[in-house]
Amino acid sequence: MKIIAIASLAALLAPPLAAASDPSALRRSLSLRDDWMYLTRDIADPAEWTHEGKRFHYRKTVEGGFAFVEIDARTQRRRAPFDAGKLAVALSDATQQSYQPLRLPFDAFEYADENRAITVTIADERWTCGIVSYACRKADPADMNRPRAFGVVRDLDAPADNHPRKSPDGQWEALVEDDNVVVRAVGSKDAIALSTDGTPGEFYDPETLAWSPDSTRLVVYRVRPGFRRIVTRVEAAPSNQLQPALRTQLYPKPGDPVDIEQPVLFHVAERRRIDIDNALFTNPYEMSPPAWRKDGRTFAFDYERRGHSQARVIEVDGQTGAAKAAITEDSKTFVYADRRYRHDVGDDAREIVWISERDGWRHLYLADAATGALKQITRGPWVVRDVLKVDDAQRRLWFSASGMDAGKDPYFKHVFRIDFDGANLTRLTTADATHKVRFAPDMSVYVDTYSRVDLPTVSELHRADGTLIATLERGDISRLTAAGWRPPEPFVSKGRDGTSDIWGLIVRPRDYDPAKKYPVLENIYAGPHDSFVPKSFWPFGFHAGGDKVIGMQAQADLGFIVVQIDGMGTANRSKAFHDISWKNLADSGFPDRILWHKALAARDPSYDISRVGIYGASAGGQSALNALLFYPDFYKAAVAYAGCYDNRMDKISWNEQWLGWPVDASYAAASGVDNAARLQGRLLLIVGEQDSNVDPASTMQVVDALIKADKDFELLVVPGGEHSVGRSTGPIPYVQRRQFEFFMRTLLARPNQSLGTDLSP
């Protein structure tokens, strides 16, 4: 048995390598990102509007990097929203990092302090920077809510935001003392206890306190804490000390008890409390904070049942505490929690705009809150993607949708408006591309930013009726094209059901010769939470996905054809298409992917499906390993990064969404640990030692199972590496090089010989 670990670089570099007769080929591929990332001009991000709605701003590519532009919507006059040079100095001083004016470490900002400052996010931290005085400070943790691990277990080591909540009439303030709710007159220190049953094991959460509009009542959640599971990681080579260090993280996993929230209503003047009957929300996975209707008649919250098969809008009478289900959404598989949408119509919310997949497609409905009856607003074999605006007075809404145009790419987003009764459906975007539209607050105008993988980004200003006012930006890729870039090729074939179109992209070597045979690499991400084949233009290195695409082209230039595919089980298509993933994560759309590969090979003789490799990260890492466990007749080599190889080891939120609760046999069926003995082909596992997204022990448990099964594989553990290890390129792209070399050895070196398990060169 041979396990190639970090120190085994010599074996990796030993001849013979296919492209190794020209080592410069590997160097060129590894430097491609740096060579190409600043070659585009005027590629604009979607616009963001100022609060007053008179101006909007966006970032765009310029010579040497990118710049922010702010435009007056009425005159189209342009200006820089801030001095980038001064801001770079201020950020560098505050963060102890070096930043350049054209390479600021954020792609969006919000105005603050009456436009005298901006707020930005840098490496998941919030910063506020003055743009008059040009000084930056990190957001005060006291201004932030107590963290919740994956949304469902509060981190009780972090203090809650317990600032006094002032009543709307300004007379009272409410807070929590010793785990109980108290109120006091504003300006007084004399607290009046509204509850006495709060304890550390069942406390009142100040962050859920909500006053009624008439200041006579309070609602708050009493919380029974969930299981405090702590993941402990050893950092072997910390930068600030010689000895290893321990790192801990609150990390709930599938099956763990979550925080249980119980709404309690208080009538303040009478000192009377009402515990809301929980018969309609008996097994909560997650509940939104309670929110009063504007008329004060009721308050409401969203409820997601554990296992994700039911979602409800619970409405509670603000006087009696009687609860009812204003809307109930049931599914035989799953209700996708992150794609729910609710809008309360009017002050009394007697109607609710709701999204449902009950007819097999994601559509908008208008619910009668009194009866729960639903009237369908949109309908057809297409999906609503996002609700952009609801106008209660006009009884009209604006939304994005995809799949409406027969024969066109079903993932392209277009924007429409429609009346509550389903009448007057109007298209606002026409270009055959995917669109990101940002409306002014008053809906009088909007900025439409659209592109395709073969169409550089165009940004336009339109009137509300769709009339073009001005073209703001039109991407220039002439220098990128001159450097050798060519757009990826879309390809479509039928899936396993014989009817569903499966869409993918093809990236070929820049010196592609159709008379040659090329091994294939598939870049896989098959998480059911979205679709992943890019649809918009890829300005290399600037937007999410830029590094990924550079990696595809860089590998193609080594002598591969590199592809990416959305198989069944991913989102943004029909409910039946999506449901393939339910309790079936080992599937990863592989039956559709293999059909796609075979269809392309039948059309293109250069596409050699006798030599197919696959690589992916996170859920894509799980899929890459599963390709060799469950489909080894087709896939011959895999690089798997930071995979959630056993879904019982991964975070609670993602895994219970797709495999349900309680934990059952479907978790084991997809497990790379339980199925390790099935491994065939060549495998490289890569993991960051300090992965805070997927417990890195998941990788090591696969390693343990492979050793016990006497299977050969390669392993790279990156000390201090996080979840994104290998997917963000540093000065020396070591991990990326290891992946490239692995595929060169396994798929290019001996194209006419069997790929056995012998790892020797």
Side-chain angles (χ1 to χ4, degrees):
M1 185 189 317
K2 305 180 187 71
I3 304 173
I4 296 182
I6 298 175
S8 56
L9 182 58
L12 285 175
L13 294 178
L17 295 177
S21 57
D22 179 13
S24 62
L26 182 59
R27 288 196 297 271
R28 283 195 302 270
S29 287
L30 291 170
S31 68
L32 191 60
R33 179 182 183 272
D34 291 337
D35 293 341
W36 280 8
M37 67 181 298
Y38 297 116
L39 296 185
T40 65
R41 300 290 177 268
D42 301 328
I43 299 289
D45 286 343
E48 299 294 337
W49 288 85
T50 56
H51 293 302
E52 74 275 8
K54 295 179 181 178
R55 294 170 290 130
F56 57 88
H57 57 263
Y58 53 82
R59 188 182 71 159
K60 71 171 188 173
T61 58
V62 296
E63 179 75 30
F66 56 87
F68 288 87
V69 178
E70 187 165 271
I71 298 179
D72 185 298
R74 184 179 61 85
T75 65
Q76 288 91 65
R77 183 173 300 164
R78 298 176 174 233
R79 70 171 191 180
F82 48 76
D83 186 316
K86 292 180 179 179
L87 185 60
V89 171
L91 274 173
S92 299
D93 290 343
T95 64
Q96 300 303 301
Q97 301 288 327
S98 178
Y99 296 116
Q100 300 301 314
L102 295 182
R103 302 186 188 182
L104 295 172
F106 56 88
D107 56 12
F109 69 86
E110 300 170 1
Y111 280 110
D113 190 22
E114 297 181 337
N115 296 343
R116 292 191 295 265
I118 61 172
T119 301
V120 300
T121 299
I122 303 172
D124 296 325
E125 293 181 330
R126 296 288 285 170
W127 291 81
T128 298
C129 296
I131 55 174
V132 175
S133 62
Y134 285 94
C136 297
R137 64 174 178 83
K138 191 182 296 187
D140 186 348
D143 297 335
M144 303 171 66
N145 287 348
R146 168 183 276 157
R148 296 193 191 192
F150 302 114
V152 293
V153 176
R154 290 165 172 81
D155 184 356
L156 299 183
D157 283 349
D161 178 5
N162 193 27
H163 76 271
R165 270 69 174 176
K166 190 175 291 186
S167 61
D169 65 6
Q171 301 301 305
W172 295 91
E173 56 188 19
L175 65 158
V176 170
E177 292 184 351
D178 297 325
D179 299 312
N180 282 291
V181 180
V182 302
V183 294
R184 64 193 182 200
V186 171
S188 171
K189 298 295 184 182
D190 298 326
I192 302 168
L194 295 183
S195 73
T196 58
D197 60 337
T199 67
E202 198 153 7
F203 58 88
Y204 289 87
D205 182 0
E207 295 179 353
T208 66
L209 279 166
W211 282 96
S212 64
D214 64 2
S215 303
T216 65
R217 291 151 293 158
L218 272 175
V219 63
V220 63
Y221 284 161
R222 190 174 66 242
V223 179
R224 184 170 74 244
F227 176 59
R228 185 173 175 77
R229 179 184 294 279
I230 299 296
V231 165
T232 302
R233 301 185 296 271
V234 176
E235 186 172 1
S239 60
N240 60 344
Q241 64 186 52
L242 174 64
Q243 298 301 323
L246 287 181
R247 308 298 181 199
T248 60
Q249 179 184 2
L250 179 63
Y251 193 105
K253 295 185 178 184
D256 287 351
V258 300
D259 289 357
I260 301 298
E261 299 172 319
Q262 169 64 46
V264 181
L265 175 66
F266 294 98
H267 288 255
V268 176
E270 299 93 330
R271 314 290 189 267
R272 180 164 62 95
R273 64 175 285 166
I274 301 173
D275 289 273
I276 310 304
D277 185 354
N278 70 348
L280 294 171
F281 48 96
T282 55
N283 185 24
Y285 173 77
E286 193 172 14
M287 291 170 25
S288 66
W292 288 90
R293 311 294 197 192
K294 293 179 182 178
D295 63 0
R297 181 178 54 86
T298 61
F299 64 86
F301 56 89
D302 295 325
Y303 158 74
E304 184 88 10
R305 187 168 68 191
R306 191 84 185 261
H308 299 284
S309 62
Q310 183 183 81
R312 278 180 166 152
V313 177
I314 304 294
E315 187 175 83
V316 181
D317 187 288
Q319 292 294 331
T320 68
K324 70 175 184 180
I327 301 175
T328 297
E329 188 74 27
D330 289 310
S331 174
K332 294 179 180 178
T333 55
F334 57 84
V335 177
Y336 186 7
D338 288 348
R339 295 286 178 92
R340 286 180 305 166
Y341 177 82
R342 160 187 148 216
H343 170 81
D344 298 336
V345 179
D347 292 349
D348 57 6
R350 297 184 187 275
E351 294 176 307
I352 300 172
V353 176
W354 181 252
I355 276 185
S356 170
E357 291 185 287
R358 61 188 58 203
D359 79 341
W361 302 85
R362 190 168 187 260
H363 280 301
L364 291 161
Y365 292 78
L366 188 66
D368 184 321
T371 66
L374 294 176
K375 296 180 180 178
Q376 194 162 356
I377 299 173
T378 61
R379 65 178 68 241
W382 47 273
V383 297
V384 171
R385 298 288 292 272
D386 306 287
V387 179
L388 305 177
K389 170 73 174 181
V390 180
D391 189 315
D392 295 347
Q394 295 188 64
R395 297 183 66 79
R396 178 175 294 169
L397 54 85
W398 289 256
F399 65 95
S400 67
S402 59
M404 191 178 287
D405 301 317
K408 299 291 181 67
D409 190 317
Y411 296 95
F412 283 174
K413 282 187 179 183
H414 283 276
V415 175
F416 304 83
R417 69 167 182 262
I418 195 170
D419 294 342
F420 281 7
D421 61 2
N424 298 315
L425 176 66
T426 303
R427 179 192 291 266
L428 296 178
T429 56
T430 57
D432 183 22
T434 194
H435 295 254
K436 296 179 181 179
V437 167
R438 300 291 186 266
F439 285 94
D442 66 1
M443 303 300 291
S444 61
V445 294
Y446 62 87
V447 179
D448 178 15
T449 305
Y450 62 88
S451 68
R452 297 188 306 265
V453 295
D454 60 347
L455 174 68
T457 307
V458 178
S459 185
E460 299 173 341
L461 181 64
H462 290 257
R463 296 186 180 88
D465 63 1
T467 305
L468 177 65
I469 298 174
T471 298
L472 304 171
E473 307 288 350
R474 188 177 296 277
D476 179 354
I477 62 168
S478 56
R479 293 175 64 187
L480 186 63
T481 301
W485 177 84
R486 298 294 181 270
E489 308 164 32
F491 182 71
V492 187
S493 72
K494 295 298 180 185
R496 72 189 76 178
D497 59 3
T499 58
S500 296
D501 285 336
I502 305 299
W503 286 72
L505 286 180
I506 308 163
V507 177
R508 300 182 188 273
R510 283 180 283 168
D511 61 356
Y512 172 72
D513 180 351
K516 293 182 179 180
K517 298 283 283 187
Y518 293 88
V520 175
L521 295 181
E522 181 180 343
N523 175 10
I524 190 170
Y525 197 93
H529 54 282
D530 210 340
S531 54
F532 304 98
V533 174
K535 301 299 171 182
S536 57
F537 185 73
W538 300 338
F540 295 91
F542 274 98
H543 296 263
D547 288 342
K548 173 183 67 178
V549 176
I550 283 287
M552 292 174 70
Q553 185 64 64
Q555 289 176 104
D557 288 349
L558 293 172
F560 298 94
I561 295 177
V562 188
V563 302
Q564 189 173 6
I565 310 161
D566 279 322
M568 297 184 77
T570 50
N572 303 322
R573 301 286 288 277
S574 70
K575 177 66 170 163
F577 191 101
H578 201 187
D579 276 349
I580 292 293
S581 62
W582 176 241
K583 293 186 177 294
N584 188 30
L585 288 183
D587 181 277
S588 294
F590 280 121
D592 314 297
R593 297 170 186 278
I594 292 171
L595 288 171
W596 189 95
H597 285 292
K598 290 180 176 178
L600 180 54
R603 193 192 73 170
D604 182 356
S606 71
Y607 196 76
D608 184 359
I609 58 171
S610 71
R611 293 181 289 160
V612 180
I614 188 167
Y615 67 96
S618 195
Q622 179 182 23
S623 296
L625 173 61
N626 283 347
L628 300 188
L629 300 182
F630 301 112
Y631 301 92
D633 290 343
F634 189 80
Y635 294 96
K636 306 304 181 186
V639 177
Y641 288 84
C644 44
Y645 303 114
D646 189 309
N647 301 99
R648 295 165 292 194
M649 286 291 293
D650 192 20
K651 68 193 78 66
I652 188 174
S653 54
W654 193 87
N655 297 276
E656 284 196 11
Q657 172 69 75
W658 312 117
L659 293 172
W661 177 91
V663 174
D664 61 15
S666 67
Y667 284 78
S671 168
V673 177
D674 291 3
N675 292 284
R678 303 171 62 122
L679 179 70
Q680 297 182 50
R682 308 290 288 274
L683 172 65
L684 169 59
L685 296 169
I686 300 174
V687 64
E689 175 198 61
Q690 295 301 309
D691 190 335
S692 61
N693 187 306
V694 174
D695 185 348
S698 185
T699 296
M700 301 315 294
Q701 289 181 359
V702 171
V703 169
D704 180 59
L706 291 171
I707 292 172
K708 289 175 178 175
D710 198 29
K711 294 292 183 177
D712 294 334
F713 62 96
E714 305 180 33
L715 172 66
L716 171 59
V717 180
V718 180
E722 247 289 1
H723 188 62
S724 61
V725 65
R727 288 170 283 159
S728 57
T729 305
I732 303 175
Y734 177 82
V735 176
Q736 188 178 59
R737 173 169 60 80
R738 291 289 299 268
Q739 174 181 319
F740 288 11
E741 291 168 339
F742 172 83
F743 284 129
M744 290 163 68
R745 285 187 293 110
T746 56
L747 297 176
L748 284 175
R750 303 185 186 118
N752 297 317
Q753 298 182 26
S754 172
L755 291 173
T757 57
D758 180 15
L759 297 183
S760 60

